[in-house]
Amino acid sequence: MSDERIDDALTIDGLPDDLRRPILLLAFFGWNDAAEAATDAVKFLRNLEPAAPVASLDPDEFFVFTEHRPTVKWVDGDNARREVVWPATEFTVLRRPEAEHDLILGLGTEPDLRWRRYCRAVLQVAQMAGVEEVVTLGALLADVAHTRPTRVSGGSSNPERQKQFGFQTSRYEGPTGIVGSVGDACRIAEVPHMGFWASVPHYVTSRHNPGATKALLTELDRVFTLDLDLRHLDGAQERYRAQIDTALEDKPDIRDYVRNLEAQSDEESPQDAPAEAPLDSDDIMEAVNRLLRGDESN
């Protein structure tokens, strides 16, 4: 990669050269981000120490804007105005003086076009920053109960780290998203890679799942000792569960379904959790979704 020309879509603006054993942590809105658990984890870290982007990818080369439309936001101030926000991929820095690693946080939307070029451009950021490892976060829909702790599965390209942290090798075959594509690009470029996946209940249509977000951050903290304070996520997690319990109070069929999921969870080991692709919904899953939305007419 050292002789590769920097991609024209990649803008480098103030990428520091004094980071301590940096890790590139990535999450993407879209197919690999059920309940936005993965992107919420990166946003949590970005909010610990807000900073301007040090690198970004121009969306023009990677998106069909009729599929991922830009949005408009209102900006207050002396020059109040509306601004168009494009689906860019941005990289910020989070320094952790009390930990062994500083972080480069990459947050973006799964692109529509030129995935291999996109992945190579992301890895150029890793090379220029001298990162030790690329880490991807994802979240998938699974047959799990909202009343049980979120399962997180992990994997590493390094067999020794795979064994050290008790990761189970995934044998998943099938469609993949940009997270899997970045992982494969790391393999091709011989860049160390680690990935984490949170399993979220398929029958809940909520946009966010604070328990899954906390579980991903807890696993990151376990592996990289980042000294994260996650206590304020506990309240959000409790409210999330309470809201679902309330929605199910007058739906005995759904409560029975959840109890069956709880029994399965209690019988299985954490390694039995799926490792990558979202699962397809069958008729009962669709019925659960309609009930939770309050639409019982269909």
Side-chain angles (χ1 to χ4, degrees), residues 1-280:
M1 291 180 59
S2 58
D3 297 330
E4 186 177 352
R5 182 175 65 87
I6 299 300
D7 194 289
D8 292 339
L10 178 60
T11 298
I12 303 296
D13 185 15
L15 185 64
D17 58 5
D18 61 344
L19 298 175
R20 296 173 308 103
R21 302 184 60 194
I23 300 295
L24 174 59
L25 179 65
L26 301 165
F28 304 91
F29 297 100
W31 195 64
N32 294 147
D33 191 28
E36 297 189 9
T39 51
D40 279 349
V42 172
K43 287 192 287 186
F44 174 91
L45 295 171
R46 282 167 58 121
N47 289 335
L48 292 179
E49 187 179 311
V54 296
S56 62
L57 276 167
D58 188 328
D60 276 3
E61 297 294 328
F62 305 109
F63 289 91
V64 176
F65 294 126
T66 52
E67 297 294 330
H68 285 99
R69 291 186 179 274
T71 59
V72 175
K73 73 173 182 178
W74 181 259
V75 179
D76 289 317
D78 295 336
N79 185 24
R81 64 196 183 280
R82 291 192 304 171
E83 285 187 356
V84 175
V85 179
W86 302 89
T89 302
E90 294 184 336
F91 301 86
T92 59
V93 168
L94 175 64
R95 296 182 185 270
R96 302 296 290 168
E98 64 280 19
E100 294 183 4
H101 301 276
D102 291 327
L103 299 177
I104 299 174
L105 306 174
L107 185 64
T109 299
E110 181 177 75
D112 301 312
L113 305 168
R114 304 179 182 89
W115 281 24
R116 288 180 292 183
R117 177 182 171 188
Y118 182 91
C119 292
R120 288 194 298 268
V122 168
L123 292 188
Q124 285 184 331
V125 176
Q127 182 218 11
M128 296 177 72
V131 304
E132 287 192 359
E133 197 162 19
V134 173
V135 180
T136 53
L137 301 182
L140 55 92
L141 299 174
D143 294 321
V144 294
H146 71 280
T147 54
R148 292 295 185 263
T150 300
R151 290 176 172 177
V152 175
S153 57
S156 173
S157 62
N158 183 327
E160 293 183 2
R161 287 171 70 76
Q162 181 89 0
K163 182 177 180 180
Q164 175 186 0
F165 296 110
F167 298 149
Q168 300 296 310
T169 300
S170 170
R171 296 192 176 277
Y172 169 78
E173 294 181 322
T176 192
I178 194 62
V179 171
S181 300
V182 168
D184 193 59
C186 289
R187 177 189 63 81
I188 294 170
E190 299 183 342
V191 174
H193 170 257
M194 188 176 290
F196 298 101
W197 289 85
S199 298
V200 303
H202 66 80
Y203 58 86
V204 178
T205 57
S206 139
R207 181 178 175 185
H208 301 283
N209 185 319
T213 295
K214 182 182 177 182
L216 285 169
L217 291 167
T218 298
E219 191 68 2
L220 281 173
D221 205 10
R222 178 178 81 92
V223 172
F224 296 105
T225 318
L226 299 175
D227 194 28
L228 300 176
D229 184 355
L230 305 176
R231 288 174 295 179
H232 86 267
L233 290 175
D234 292 337
Q237 182 178 3
E238 291 173 3
R239 289 191 296 273
Y240 166 84
R241 290 181 177 176
Q243 289 169 354
I244 299 173
D245 289 341
T246 300
L248 299 182
E249 283 179 354
D250 59 348
K251 298 177 174 62
D253 291 345
I254 308 291
R255 292 203 309 271
D256 289 343
Y257 178 70
V258 173
R259 279 194 286 269
N260 287 335
L261 291 178
E262 291 172 339
Q264 292 177 2
S265 175
D266 295 342
E267 292 173 0
E268 294 172 353
S269 66
Q271 290 79 10
D272 292 326
E276 184 162 336
L279 305 178
D280 293 330

